[in-house]
Amino acid sequence: MSKIQHRNLYREVADRTRELIEHGELTPGERISEKQLCETFGVSRTPLREALKVLASEGLVELLPNRGARVMQLTVKMVKDTYDLMGALEGLSGELACQQISDEGIIAICQLHEQMLEHYRKREMQPYFEVNRQIHESILAAANNEVLEEMYNNLSYRVKRVRYSKKMTEAFWRQAVNDHEMMIVALKARDGKRLGQILRDHLCHKLEVVTLAGVIEDDELINAANG
Amino acid sequence: MSKIQHRNLYREVADRTRELIEHGELTPGERISEKQLCETFGVSRTPLREALKVLASEGLVELLPNRGARVMQLTVKMVKDTYDLMGALEGLSGELACQQISDEGIIAICQLHEQMLEHYRKREMQPYFEVNRQIHESILAAANNEVLEEMYNNLSYRVKRVRYSKKMTEAFWRQAVNDHEMMIVALKARDGKRLGQILRDHLCHKLEVVTLAGVIEDDELINAANG
DNA sequence: AAAAGGTATTATGAATTCAAAATTCCGACA
DNA sequence: TGTCGGAATTTTGAATTCATAATACCTTTT
């Protein structure tokens, strides 16, 4: 028996608009026409405008007074900054997780790790990414810090548009798997400091993939590549 | 010539409601009557409701579907979680600041530090807090990471209601000043790792002040003490 | 007297309406 | 041909109105 969810219209609209942005149906910098979005969702302007305010405070859209909403433009610097921040948060989650996780929790993550290795061996990229995501999510959950979780998820939403699977070379992939091997060792040893450091480095490696190892400039706009 | 700010009504309302919460005119857990707030601000419900949505996504109020808004209740665990997070962010800001700050920037912070010491010697608590805030703000600014800055400010807003000046004993104060001495040494040496660690520990000490060294329970509500 | 049920009132959710700002369009003029 | 200015249109900002859910109140029944 699932709980009845009184979902307000503005939440629904916010979620669906987030998806539109994530999937590139609303491209970065594009002006969002209230009227048009209202028609596509079949709602009036009131809940739509409320949703836009929420998305703005989440950093996904930009509200220009009397000039409407725009999908937030991502610059390379913003992505770097966000990754630095997410690195710190992942680091913290690793430290906290080591303190709080149960033995069963560690076993569960190890099993996910084995699954992930299997996908790596078979070069199944999408399943690999999915299990990878689950591992990071499990560590975050084990940290038992809802504020951290909320903030991390918000940040990851901002950079979700930046897909890096196409730029994921064999070398980078190998590095990522290597990072994960070390993570498991640290987690089993409940070495929080170490796990935290590995997670931070791991995210730096991801950033390298995204920014093509620093070939492009800080203020350059990220073009939304949908992988 | 100051820039003309086209401040939307909903922003104004959000700011003023934030202040009401901060100053305890709206107490934690208290139900927010839309009609009443509309009357005090002299605006219609539309901008007020938009403001409430923003405050909700900032974590300052709670929106219960069809049951209106409540000022978010802070539990001890939430404050602990938030401080853990802010510790990680301060740590990051310290590391980044050491990499990016100019020599002039370091000098400016040292001067603030001297001012703060002077206030400490004279036991001028409010001026001490103000200069203290400026120092942390300067380090945060020197980190040159807008996303970090935004997130940190949001978190600090959530726990602003928790005033600790009344619980600030001589021993804690001495500890805080000691932390700051070490910070300056690390900053001058541009030792990012060390500065980061000191900032994290520094925030842990603050947390101890807030939670009275763990005398109260996790799920206990924080009573808003306005210092 | 206490509990249950139904009606009245109030508060919230969302659409509509009105006002004001921005944009577009078009003609006048250099 | 290009650009400047102003009216017409569109778009956003905010108030109002309408619909519906929650709450309060009162009656009825045991």
Side-chain angles (χ1 to χ4, degrees):
Chain A
M1 185 83 182
S2 76
K3 195 171 9 177
I4 296 166
Q5 282 273 39
H6 271 268
R7 292 190 59 65
N8 290 6
L9 220 35
Y10 89 95
R11 280 175 176 279
E12 209 76 45
V13 170
D15 289 348
R16 291 192 54 188
T17 307
R18 242 183 248 111
E19 283 170 23
L20 288 183
I21 293 172
E22 186 186 338
H23 297 116
E25 270 134 279
L26 290 170
T27 59
E30 179 179 341
R31 174 147 174 213
I32 298 172
S33 161
E34 291 185 1
K35 200 172 145 200
Q36 201 175 312
L37 257 195
C38 283
E39 280 164 9
T40 55
F41 290 148
V43 298
S44 78
R45 281 174 59 218
T46 307
L48 176 75
R49 287 170 59 78
E50 290 174 345
L52 287 177
K53 259 97 192 158
V54 172
L55 295 178
S57 81
E58 287 175 6
L60 284 175
V61 308
E62 202 175 6
L63 296 181
L64 309 167
N66 288 319
R67 297 160 133 253
R70 285 189 151 66
V71 179
M72 184 67 84
Q73 299 257 21
L74 283 175
T75 64
V76 173
K77 173 159 168 37
M78 280 166 67
V79 175
K80 273 186 188 166
D81 285 355
T82 306
Y83 266 77
D84 278 346
L85 200 47
M86 289 174 77
L89 298 193
E90 285 245 20
L92 177 63
S93 81
E95 284 188 44
L96 294 174
C98 280
Q99 292 165 21
Q100 314 221 15
I101 197 168
S102 64
D103 292 335
E104 294 75 34
I106 293 179
I107 292 169
I109 288 176
C110 287
Q111 286 170 343
L112 284 172
H113 179 67
E114 291 304 324
Q115 268 183 257
M116 196 192 74
L117 286 182
E118 189 60 25
H119 291 309
Y120 173 60
R121 275 191 286 271
K122 294 182 183 166
R123 296 293 184 279
E124 298 162 345
M125 201 178 259
Q126 283 316 312
Y128 167 88
F129 275 126
E130 172 56 20
V131 179
N132 186 313
R133 193 191 57 73
Q134 282 179 35
I135 291 172
H136 287 276
E137 194 179 272
S138 301
I139 293 173
L140 194 59
N144 185 34
N145 183 330
E146 283 80 17
V147 190
L148 167 62
E149 213 167 326
E150 177 199 330
M151 195 141 287
Y152 187 89
N153 288 332
N154 173 236
L155 287 175
S156 77
Y157 244 113
R158 295 192 192 191
V159 293
K160 238 180 195 169
R161 278 175 286 163
V162 185
R163 299 285 179 198
Y164 46 89
S165 56
K166 280 179 183 167
K167 296 167 188 163
M168 186 77 164
T169 65
E170 183 62 34
F172 277 125
W173 199 351
R174 180 164 190 76
Q175 169 79 65
V177 170
N178 193 46
D179 288 347
H180 271 258
E181 289 284 3
M182 293 193 295
M183 277 169 41
I184 294 294
V185 173
L187 181 66
K188 278 180 177 169
R190 288 182 182 274
D191 186 343
K193 286 272 171 212
R194 174 134 184 77
L195 178 57
Q197 190 57 53
I198 296 164
L199 282 163
R200 283 184 69 166
D201 294 344
H202 182 56
L203 216 62
C204 281
H205 298 147
K206 275 196 196 168
L207 175 61
E208 282 175 33
V209 181
V210 173
T211 60
L212 298 164
V215 186
I216 45 184
E217 293 297 318
D218 258 9
D219 56 355
E220 211 167 305
L221 294 175
I222 298 270
N223 44 347
N226 302 301
Chain B
M1 184 83 181
S2 76
K3 193 167 18 172
I4 295 167
Q5 282 273 39
H6 270 269
R7 292 190 58 67
N8 290 5
L9 221 33
Y10 89 95
R11 279 174 177 279
E12 210 76 46
V13 170
D15 289 348
R16 292 193 53 187
T17 307
R18 241 183 247 112
E19 284 170 21
L20 288 183
I21 293 173
E22 186 187 337
H23 296 116
E25 271 134 280
L26 290 170
T27 59
E30 179 180 341
R31 176 149 173 213
I32 299 172
S33 161
E34 291 184 2
K35 199 172 144 200
Q36 201 176 311
L37 256 196
C38 284
E39 282 164 9
T40 55
F41 291 148
V43 299
S44 78
R45 280 175 59 219
T46 308
L48 176 74
R49 289 170 59 78
E50 291 174 345
L52 287 176
K53 260 95 192 157
V54 172
L55 295 178
S57 82
E58 288 176 4
L60 285 175
V61 309
E62 204 175 4
L63 295 181
L64 308 167
N66 287 319
R67 296 160 134 256
R70 286 189 151 66
V71 179
M72 184 68 85
Q73 299 257 19
L74 282 175
T75 64
V76 174
K77 173 159 167 39
M78 281 166 68
V79 175
K80 273 184 187 166
D81 285 356
T82 305
Y83 267 77
D84 278 345
L85 201 47
M86 289 174 77
L89 299 194
E90 285 245 19
L92 177 63
S93 79
E95 285 188 42
L96 294 174
C98 280
Q99 292 165 22
Q100 314 222 14
I101 197 168
S102 64
D103 291 336
E104 293 74 34
I106 293 179
I107 291 169
I109 288 176
C110 287
Q111 285 170 344
L112 285 172
H113 180 67
E114 290 304 324
Q115 267 183 256
M116 196 191 74
L117 287 182
E118 188 60 25
H119 291 310
Y120 173 60
R121 275 192 285 273
K122 293 183 184 168
R123 294 295 184 279
E124 298 163 344
M125 200 178 258
Q126 283 316 312
Y128 167 89
F129 275 127
E130 172 55 20
V131 179
N132 185 313
R133 194 191 57 71
Q134 283 179 34
I135 291 172
H136 287 276
E137 194 180 271
S138 301
I139 293 174
L140 193 58
N144 184 33
N145 182 329
E146 283 79 19
V147 191
L148 167 61
E149 213 167 325
E150 178 197 332
M151 289 274 154
Y152 187 89
N153 288 332
N154 174 235
L155 287 177
S156 77
Y157 243 113
R158 295 193 195 190
V159 292
K160 237 179 196 170
R161 278 177 288 164
V162 185
R163 301 284 180 197
Y164 46 89
S165 56
K166 283 179 182 167
K167 297 167 187 162
M168 186 80 163
T169 65
E170 183 62 33
F172 277 126
W173 199 351
R174 180 166 188 77
Q175 170 78 66
V177 171
N178 193 47
D179 288 347
H180 272 258
E181 290 284 3
M182 293 193 295
M183 279 169 41
I184 293 294
V185 173
L187 182 65
K188 279 180 177 167
R190 289 181 182 274
D191 186 343
K193 286 272 171 211
R194 174 133 184 78
L195 178 58
Q197 189 58 52
I198 295 165
L199 282 165
R200 283 185 69 167
D201 294 343
H202 182 57
L203 216 62
C204 280
H205 298 147
K206 275 196 195 168
L207 176 61
E208 282 175 32
V209 180
V210 173
T211 61
L212 298 163
V215 185
I216 44 184
E217 293 297 316
D218 260 10
D219 56 354
E220 212 168 304
L221 295 173
I222 299 269
N223 45 347
N226 302 302

